[in-house]
Amino acid sequence: MNQLYHVREFAQLAGVTVRALHHYDRLGLLKPSRTQAGYRLYYLRDLERLEQIVALKFLGIPLKQIRMMFHRGTNGMSESLRMQRRVLEEKRQLLDSAIRAIEEAEKATAPGNRPDSAILKKIIEVIEMQDNMDWSKKYYSEEAQARIEERKNLWSPENQERWTKEWTDLFRDVEAVLGEDPASAKAQALAARWKKLVEGFTGGDPQITAGLGKMYQDRPNWPANMQQRMQPFSNKKVWEFIQKALAAGKATN
Amino acid sequence: MNQLYHVREFAQLAGVTVRALHHYDRLGLLKPSRTQAGYRLYYLRDLERLEQIVALKFLGIPLKQIRMMFHRGTNGMSESLRMQRRVLEEKRQLLDSAIRAIEEAEKATAPGNRPDSAILKKIIEVIEMQDNMDWSKKYYSEEAQARIEERKNLWSPENQERWTKEWTDLFRDVEAVLGEDPASAKAQALAARWKKLVEGFTGGDPQITAGLGKMYQDRPNWPANMQQRMQPFSNKKVWEFIQKALAAGKATN
DNA sequence: GATCAACCCTGACGTAACGTCAGAGTCAAG
DNA sequence: CTTGACTCTGACGTTACGTCAGGGTTGATC
């Protein structure tokens, strides 16, 4: 009844390797008795313990922590599991976004069966997008996030390139007239171009506009790569000039 | 224009650590130029390469493989990504089942707020279940799998325990009458109990019954722990006796 | 009793992607 | 010339074992 098992037998019984049993032994997770010669001997009741180890390991809990859990008895087990579930859910988020990145890149490059170099570019683009979306979330209300999600279909690579060019041009043009009157016709034309570009992103939605404002106010806390990308548009005089021009425009209307 | 960066600067620019850059350098993934003194110097164009590395790493591709991909040029990139997507999807399967295991165990133990020891038992139960379902899938048709999924809500721990007991009792009873006539009333009564128990699982569905048959035929290929669990029911004489009894029952009907 | 195959043991190194010192050199400023 | 801020390399640590390597143990056979 109280059958004894050698490592090999016990390992097969439980579906693990001999080396794993050695490992658990050394870590103090499952210490079998020994023969005179030092051979490991497992009892059937050790199987229960081993199954627990395997199960917790399957949940992604590190062996050291499993040992601690056994050590402290079963108290706190459900708490540990709650925490582990959160850990796993976060991992799943990352996995999902990696998978989505590949999927979207495949979708975007498949139609033309473009050269392989294009897909890597697309991957980077998609990942950066996800990054930005994830980070900029905190500035927008739930509703604004949903609206942005809807408007995302406008963000084709072509459009993005066009917008970047238009913003760059506009900035250059504004910098050229910084000395002039913000209420002048020239300045008003520039302000109109600015407004149109902003609306190209917000779609006129006030919630999105509000979020965008919060994001702009918080620019000291932007991550480094974001600041880097925004550097061409960092000239504060330009922003102030446009502020005044927009105000002047409103005043005369 | 062709700005030079020291490690620290370059690392911050790209959002990685200095140590990571050292690492990529040693692995030959991104080898910067050096000053006389041996300091690493990065050009802006190195940033592109680094971004590619980070992106591929985000997708879970090991650095060595990334190096190979760069080495072979971009050819085969999309193929690698297809493969990687499959790898990631498999990982997600595992993650999902781990999360589901915790969720189900929490759900099952929450109502009574049972002692912590119960939840671990439940976890093991759920994982074993998933294991079995996953493995036994290959014996059943799509339709049968769906039917089984529906009938799963009957598999409460209580029911499972009851079924195990009934099967054990039935086996004992059959073994006691192995010498008698399979057509006898006693044998027919046992055959009826047998049939009822089988139908308790199949629900009378012919597709499930067919899958169950295939599974039984393939028992030499069952995994070790399954064979272990089925050992109490391995007496072939019992199976043969029931076969004959069921056949006899059909013949007389 | 010797031998042989089949097991078993421990110890050491390898894996992936860096983190974390430790000891030592470099650079610009005061 | 010192000081503080950087940088370098090398070595060890991390996780959960896999994979030898060198060396005992056991039970069966000759």
Side-chain angles (χ1 to χ4, degrees), chain B residues 36-253:
Chain B
Q36 287 278 338
Y39 283 22
R40 290 175 178 80
L41 284 179
Y42 292 87
Y43 294 92
L44 202 52
R45 62 174 146 69
D46 293 325
L47 189 56
E48 192 184 345
R49 167 64 62 108
L50 182 53
E51 274 170 355
Q52 295 175 352
I53 295 171
V54 172
L56 292 172
K57 198 168 67 67
F58 177 78
L59 301 181
I61 298 174
L63 296 180
K64 282 191 177 177
Q65 198 178 326
I66 294 178
R67 184 180 49 192
M68 281 175 46
M69 288 167 72
F70 287 155
H71 194 67
R72 294 193 316 246
T74 53
N75 307 38
M77 181 73 75
S78 49
E79 180 54 24
S80 301
L81 291 178
R82 245 195 305 285
M83 282 177 49
Q84 185 62 16
R85 184 163 51 80
R86 277 188 220 114
V87 171
L88 295 180
E89 277 162 358
E90 274 179 37
K91 277 193 191 174
R92 186 171 56 179
Q93 296 269 350
L94 288 177
L95 254 182
D96 272 348
S97 48
I99 293 174
R100 272 205 313 277
I102 299 182
E103 282 173 351
E104 285 184 32
E106 283 178 340
K107 222 183 301 170
T109 57
N113 227 333
R114 248 92 64 72
D116 275 2
S117 63
I119 197 170
L120 184 49
K121 258 185 146 171
K122 189 71 195 171
I123 289 269
I124 293 172
E125 215 172 84
V126 173
I127 291 177
E128 273 181 0
M129 245 295 251
Q130 289 178 355
D131 245 40
N132 285 342
M133 291 300 290
D134 191 57
W135 161 76
S136 63
K137 249 188 198 163
K138 62 170 179 283
Y139 298 114
Y140 295 102
S141 66
E142 293 279 341
E143 220 179 309
Q145 286 178 40
R147 295 277 166 72
I148 290 176
E149 202 61 37
E150 287 170 23
R151 297 183 56 74
K152 245 171 71 177
N153 58 352
L154 298 175
W155 305 357
S156 65
E158 296 74 31
N159 270 338
Q160 299 217 37
E161 201 171 325
R162 188 161 57 78
W163 290 331
T164 302
K165 185 177 181 325
E166 288 180 13
W167 276 110
T168 309
D169 290 351
L170 177 54
F171 245 75
R172 185 175 29 73
D173 294 349
V174 176
E175 276 177 332
V177 300
L178 280 179
E180 302 190 16
D181 180 6
S184 69
K186 239 194 241 173
Q188 287 303 307
L190 292 172
R193 276 168 66 190
W194 183 287
K195 209 172 152 212
K196 210 169 150 212
L197 274 176
V198 169
E199 280 170 2
F201 173 70
T202 65
D205 184 286
Q207 301 236 21
I208 297 181
T209 309
L212 196 60
K214 270 165 69 181
M215 186 157 100
Y216 177 69
Q217 291 305 323
D218 192 46
R219 62 194 178 288
N221 294 322
W222 289 4
N225 66 339
M226 199 57 172
Q227 298 207 19
Q228 177 77 8
R229 243 206 309 259
M230 283 302 156
Q231 208 214 315
F233 311 110
S234 58
N235 187 341
K236 281 195 78 169
K237 283 183 195 156
V238 171
W239 290 83
E240 286 162 9
F241 184 86
I242 290 291
Q243 291 293 328
K244 284 185 214 152
L246 287 171
K250 272 219 177 100
T252 60
N253 273 13

Side-chain angles (χ1 to χ4, degrees), chain A residues 127-146:
Chain A
I127 291 177
E128 273 182 0
M129 253 283 260
Q130 289 178 356
D131 245 40
N132 284 344
M133 291 300 291
D134 192 56
W135 161 76
S136 63
K137 250 189 200 163
K138 62 171 178 284
Y139 297 114
Y140 295 103
S141 66
E142 293 279 341
E143 220 180 308
Q145 287 178 39

Side-chain angles (χ1 to χ4, degrees), chain A residues 14-120:
Chain A
V16 303
T17 68
V18 172
R19 255 336 240 150
L21 290 176
H22 287 178
H23 197 55
Y24 301 155
D25 187 358
R26 182 149 25 188
L27 292 189
L29 263 169
L30 180 58
K31 285 196 165 303
S33 57
R34 303 281 192 139
T35 68
Q36 287 277 339
Y39 284 21
R40 289 175 179 80
L41 284 179
Y42 292 87
Y43 295 92
L44 202 51
R45 62 176 146 72
D46 292 325
L47 189 57
E48 192 184 344
R49 167 64 61 108
L50 182 53
E51 276 170 355
Q52 295 175 353
I53 296 171
V54 171
L56 292 172
K57 198 168 68 66
F58 176 78
L59 301 182
I61 298 174
L63 296 181
K64 281 191 176 178
Q65 198 177 327
I66 294 177
R67 184 179 49 191
M68 281 175 45
M69 289 167 71
F70 286 156
H71 194 66
R72 294 194 314 248
T74 53
N75 307 39
M77 181 73 74
S78 49
E79 180 53 26
S80 302
L81 291 179
R82 246 194 306 284
M83 283 177 48
Q84 184 62 15
R85 184 163 52 80
R86 276 188 221 114
V87 171
L88 295 180
E89 276 162 358
E90 273 179 37
K91 277 194 190 175
R92 184 168 58 180
Q93 296 268 350
L94 289 177
L95 253 182
D96 275 348
S97 50
I99 293 173
R100 272 204 314 276
I102 299 183
E103 281 173 352
E104 284 184 33
E106 283 178 341
K107 223 183 300 170
T109 58
N113 227 335
R114 247 92 64 73
D116 275 2
S117 63
I119 197 169
L120 184 48

Side-chain angles (χ1 to χ4, degrees), chain A residues 220-249:
Chain A
N221 293 322
W222 288 3
N225 66 339
M226 199 58 172
Q227 298 207 20
Q228 177 76 9
R229 243 206 309 259
M230 284 303 162
Q231 210 215 313
F233 312 109
S234 58
N235 188 341
K236 279 196 80 171
K237 284 183 194 159
V238 172
W239 290 83
E240 285 161 9
F241 184 87
I242 289 291
Q243 291 293 328
K244 286 184 213 155
L246 288 170

